[in-house]
């Protein structure tokens, strides 16, 4: 995917779905902190008919047409290729999504300031794999032109 808005050149890598032997698939979202100007979002696409989602947001938000309080769970059923968009002007990091079938889940923010307080923003988005596919060891490489430090947001189950 790519964002072609003026003054930005943002993109993300979409990963193929790899079915794993599981009765349920669990996802935990990670989103860079909000700039307060635009929304955080979670996008979900079903890959099979009658996909049942149980969504537990970390903050009060609207899921589909239902207002859901933080920590409460809302169930939604999607058909093959249906999508669901959850948008909120707040940090959705830690929102849990449990699905009975494999889904594609992306999370991001329309206008993120990294580091916070920086006068310009970028659209950040990442496809999130199911928790069952997460690793425990990671390697990072600093950006060649970065003079100070890199910033990471780590989410654990």
């Amino acid at each position: 995917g790519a964002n072609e808005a003026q003054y930005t050149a943002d993109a993300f890598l979409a990963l193929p779905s790899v079915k794993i032997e599981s009765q349920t698939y669990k996802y935990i979202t990670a989103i860079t902190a909000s700039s307060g100007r635009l929304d955080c979002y979670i996008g979900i696409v079903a890959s099979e008919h009658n996909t049942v989602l149980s969504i537990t947001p970390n903050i009060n938000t609207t899921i589909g047409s239902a207002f859901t309080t933080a920590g409460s769970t809302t169930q939604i059923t999607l058909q093959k290729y249906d999508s669901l968009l959850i948008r909120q002007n707040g940090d959705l990091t830690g929102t849990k999504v449990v699905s009975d079938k494999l889904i594609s889940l992306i999370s991001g923010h329309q206008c993120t300031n990294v580091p916070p307080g920086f006068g310009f923003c970028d659209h950040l988005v990442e496809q999130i794999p199911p928790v069952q596919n997460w690793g425990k060891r990671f390697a990072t490489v600093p950006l060649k032109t970065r003079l100070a430090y890199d910033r990471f947001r780590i989410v654990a189950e």
Side-chain angles (χ1 to χ4, degrees):
N3 176 6
E4 297 179 9
Q6 189 173 8
Y7 306 117
T8 187
D10 310 307
F12 74 97
L13 175 65
L15 303 169
S17 297
V18 178
K19 191 147 187 149
I20 53 179
E21 295 302 320
S22 181
Q23 296 298 315
T24 60
Y25 300 89
K26 185 176 184 180
Y27 300 79
I28 301 175
T29 61
I31 300 167
T32 302
S34 170
S35 67
R37 292 185 285 185
L38 295 171
D39 292 339
C40 286
Y41 59 85
I42 299 168
I44 300 169
V45 179
S47 62
E48 298 180 46
H49 288 295
N50 299 313
T51 299
V52 179
L53 306 173
S54 297
I55 304 168
T56 308
N58 65 316
I59 58 175
N60 296 342
T61 192
T62 300
I63 299 173
S65 60
F67 177 78
T68 306
T69 58
S72 299
T73 300
T74 294
Q75 280 202 335
I76 292 181
T77 301
L78 297 179
Q79 299 306 316
K80 188 173 186 175
Y81 306 127
D82 280 354
S83 63
L84 174 68
L85 178 64
I86 303 168
R87 292 177 63 159
Q88 181 65 33
N89 194 315
D91 192 346
L92 290 166
T93 296
T95 294
K96 295 179 181 90
V97 178
V98 177
S99 174
D100 68 335
K101 298 180 177 78
L102 194 60
I103 60 173
S104 178
L105 185 143
I106 62 169
S107 64
H109 192 277
Q110 291 177 294
C111 183
T112 304
N113 298 105
V114 179
F118 192 68
F120 302 97
C121 65
D122 284 308
H123 170 232
L124 296 180
V125 61
E126 198 67 48
Q127 185 172 352
I128 307 295
V131 170
Q132 295 95 318
N133 289 6
W134 288 7
K136 295 183 184 202
R137 296 171 51 177
F138 301 90
T140 66
V141 178
L143 295 172
K144 183 177 180 180
T145 58
R146 184 73 46 110
L147 301 176
Y149 57 89
D150 290 323
R151 182 176 293 264
F152 300 94
R153 181 164 242 189
I154 299 170
V155 177
E157 180 183 19

